[in-house]
Amino acid sequence: LVLSNDTALSSLLSKLLQDHLEQTNSSAPPQVGSASNSLEIIYVLMMVGLFGFFTVGAMVTNIRARRLEDSREPYNMYIATDIWHKKDQEYFQAKLIENYKLCCVFENQLAVEQPSAQIPEVKSS
């Protein structure tokens, strides 16, 4: 059975549907080994084949896209070598030193601990 276009396929599918509806509506027992049974199997196999075709196509497209990635892309370089981690660590250390140099401490001379001086006590009355 060779189908030439979509019209023939749709007419075949509509005929299969009508045959199925007639079989379910009739009170007569179903015929064993009818031709529509083999056509139903062909239809199911066709649907599974189309699903497989699109699935394999998506997988091949994904694999091909990954293979075509440029190895000199910054993200791939980051993964391949750990140079960015070293640069980040150097940048962090430079920022830490810069912040340490900018940091200053103000000393309150009155709040400094003086062991020779005694704190006056308030006498309760």
Side-chain angles (χ1 to χ4, degrees):
L1 180 65
V2 178
L3 300 175
S4 60
N5 58 16
D6 293 336
T7 311
L9 179 63
S10 63
S11 65
L12 175 69
L13 293 177
S14 64
K15 177 147 178 34
L16 284 173
L17 180 62
Q18 288 174 355
D19 289 345
H20 180 69
L21 290 175
E22 286 174 5
Q23 283 180 357
T24 56
N25 290 337
S26 69
S27 60
Q31 298 174 353
V32 178
S34 66
S36 67
N37 236 1
S38 63
L39 291 178
E40 290 172 359
I41 292 172
I42 290 174
Y43 177 72
V44 169
L45 289 175
M46 205 168 59
M47 290 296 116
V48 170
L50 282 173
F51 176 74
F53 175 75
F54 286 118
T55 304
V56 169
M59 286 174 33
V60 168
T61 304
N62 190 14
I63 290 170
R64 185 169 179 235
R66 286 180 182 227
R67 204 176 279 168
L68 292 177
E69 285 181 352
D70 189 14
S71 62
R72 288 171 287 154
E73 189 177 334
Y75 181 74
N76 290 338
M77 286 177 61
Y78 175 78
I79 297 299
T81 63
D82 206 13
I83 194 167
W84 294 104
H85 177 68
K86 293 176 185 175
K87 286 185 178 181
D88 288 343
Q89 190 174 10
E90 290 172 2
Y91 177 76
F92 177 72
Q93 287 176 348
K95 279 299 222 184
L96 188 66
I97 291 171
E98 180 183 335
N99 288 340
Y100 181 73
K101 288 179 181 177
L102 291 175
C103 182
C104 58
V105 178
F106 295 105
E107 185 178 2
N108 185 354
Q109 293 295 327
L110 298 175
V112 174
E113 192 174 325
Q114 299 171 357
S116 60
Q118 291 184 347
I119 300 175
E121 294 182 12
V122 177
K123 295 182 181 177
S124 60
S125 45

